[in-house]
């Protein structure tokens, strides 16, 4: 009887250990990537930490040559107007700054990514027509991908966003102009901080 109880006891301990090890392996293997929504919250959090002089506007819509452009984010500050193109795809990005297409590889999967700098340029042009000449600062942010080539100073990982913005520290816009720009860009359902 005692042998049976000891055997059952050790089987129970062994089963519990197997389950714990399996859970640990699953936990360590889960390579959970942030969702685009989580990336957007991270962008907002990073901008909020920069201070009150930075106004983040999301989903800014401006007229374009053939319709309308919806710009991911615009940050209005005394140091310039940052125009953000956000790329959420995971993987390793290869290409050159002037290439029309970049390659993004995730595991065995390879995809083509149209040069986001060109889309950003379109957005800056549309903003220029809408607001007139302003100190626009284009920036492309990769939230999950690793950049394997030099794509220029305006293509950065999300973690570098605060440092990139803080490097621009020479005032170029003053409060009356800032208020006017924010008013003209602020959408009805603004994601302003």
């Amino acid at each position: 009887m005692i042998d049976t109880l000891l055997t059952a006891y050790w089987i129970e301990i062994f089963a519990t250990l197997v389950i714990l090890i399996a859970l640990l392996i699953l936990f360590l293997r889960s390579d959970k990537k942030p969702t685009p929504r989580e990336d957007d919250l991270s962008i907002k959090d990073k901008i909020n930490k920069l201070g009150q002089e930075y106004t983040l506007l999301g989903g800014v819509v401006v007229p374009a040559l053939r319709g309308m452009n919806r710009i991911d984010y615009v940050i209005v500050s005394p140091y310039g107007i940052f125009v953000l193109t956000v790329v959420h795809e995971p993987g390793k990005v290869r290409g050159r700054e002037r290439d029309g297409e970049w390659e993004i590889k995730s595991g065995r999967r390879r995809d083509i990514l149209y040069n986001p700098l060109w889309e950003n340029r379109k957005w800056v042009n549309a903003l220029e027509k809408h607001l007139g000449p302003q100190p626009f600062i284009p920036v492309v942010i990769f939230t999950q991908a690793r950049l394997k080539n030099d794509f220029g100073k305006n293509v950065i990982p999300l973690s570098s966003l605060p440092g990139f913005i803080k490097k621009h520290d020479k005032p170029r816009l003053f409060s009356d102009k800032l208020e006017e720009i924010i008013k003209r860009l602020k959408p009805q359902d603004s994601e302003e901080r």
Side-chain angles (χ1 to χ4, degrees), residues 8-25:
Y9 176 74
W10 286 110
I11 290 174
E12 190 177 319
I13 289 177
F14 179 75
T16 304
L17 282 173
V18 168
I19 290 171
L20 287 174
I21 290 170
L23 288 173
L24 182 62
I25 289 170

Side-chain angles (χ1 to χ4, degrees), residues 62-66 68-71 83 85 114-130 136 138:
V62 292
L65 200 55
R66 295 182 184 146
M68 303 295 273
N69 279 321
R70 184 176 189 278
I71 301 168
V83 182
T85 300
Y114 293 107
N115 188 333
L117 286 167
W118 294 4
E119 179 177 39
N120 191 280
R121 183 71 240 167
K122 245 185 4 184
W123 292 352
V124 169
N125 290 344
L127 283 167
E128 231 163 27
K129 286 185 181 181
H130 186 65
F136 292 107

Side-chain angles (χ1 to χ4, degrees), residues 156-192:
I156 59 172
L158 177 57
S159 60
S160 299
L161 181 60
F164 177 88
I165 290 173
K166 284 293 194 183
K167 280 195 302 190
H168 298 84
D169 57 0
K170 180 181 175 192
R172 300 165 77 186
L173 293 169
F174 299 98
S175 62
D176 57 335
K177 191 66 175 172
L178 288 171
E179 289 173 25
E180 176 190 333
I181 290 168
I182 292 167
K183 187 176 180 182
R184 291 190 67 192
L185 293 180
K186 189 174 182 182
Q188 296 302 322
D189 61 341
S190 174
E191 296 177 23
E192 181 182 358

Side-chain angles (χ1 to χ4, degrees), residues 18-191:
V18 168
I19 290 171
L20 287 174
I21 290 170
L23 288 173
L24 182 62
I25 289 170
L26 285 173
F27 177 76
L28 293 175
R29 277 192 166 179
S30 71
D31 198 16
K32 184 184 175 295
K33 301 285 185 189
T35 64
R37 175 94 175 117
E38 291 169 331
D39 290 338
D40 290 340
L41 291 173
S42 182
I43 290 168
K44 291 175 185 175
D45 184 52
K46 288 179 186 313
I47 301 308
N48 284 337
K49 287 179 181 174
L50 292 175
Q52 292 298 317
E53 59 190 358
Y54 297 91
T55 301
L56 176 67
L57 301 171
V60 174
V61 178
V62 292
L65 200 55
R66 295 182 184 146
M68 303 295 273
N69 279 321
R70 184 176 189 278
I71 301 168
D72 293 340
Y73 291 100
V74 175
I75 301 169
V76 182
S77 79
Y79 313 106
I81 302 169
F82 298 86
V83 182
L84 280 62
T85 300
V86 181
V87 181
H88 296 286
E89 283 84 9
K92 297 176 185 172
V93 181
R94 288 187 164 76
R96 291 183 304 216
E97 184 176 359
R98 297 193 187 277
D99 290 346
E101 298 174 343
W102 297 349
E103 179 187 79
I104 188 160
K105 184 179 178 194
S106 182
R108 293 183 179 196
R109 191 172 138 211
R110 289 179 183 219
D111 287 317
I112 297 298
L113 173 69
Y114 293 107
N115 188 333
L117 286 167
W118 294 4
E119 179 177 39
N120 191 280
R121 183 71 240 167
K122 245 185 4 184
W123 292 352
V124 169
N125 290 344
L127 283 167
E128 231 163 27
K129 286 185 181 181
H130 186 65
L131 298 173
Q134 302 296 335
F136 292 107
I137 304 162
V139 59
V140 174
I141 301 167
F142 280 86
T143 60
Q144 298 179 35
R146 287 185 292 161
L147 304 172
K148 299 310 263 180
N149 296 99
D150 180 14
F151 294 98
K153 65 180 180 170
N154 294 45
V155 178
I156 59 172
L158 177 57
S159 60
S160 299
L161 181 60
F164 177 88
I165 290 173
K166 284 293 194 183
K167 280 195 302 190
H168 298 84
D169 57 0
K170 180 181 175 192
R172 300 165 77 186
L173 293 169
F174 299 98
S175 62
D176 57 335
K177 191 66 175 172
L178 288 171
E179 289 173 25
E180 176 190 333
I181 290 168
I182 292 167
K183 187 176 180 182
R184 291 190 67 192
L185 293 180
K186 189 174 182 182
Q188 296 302 322
D189 61 341
S190 174
E191 296 177 23

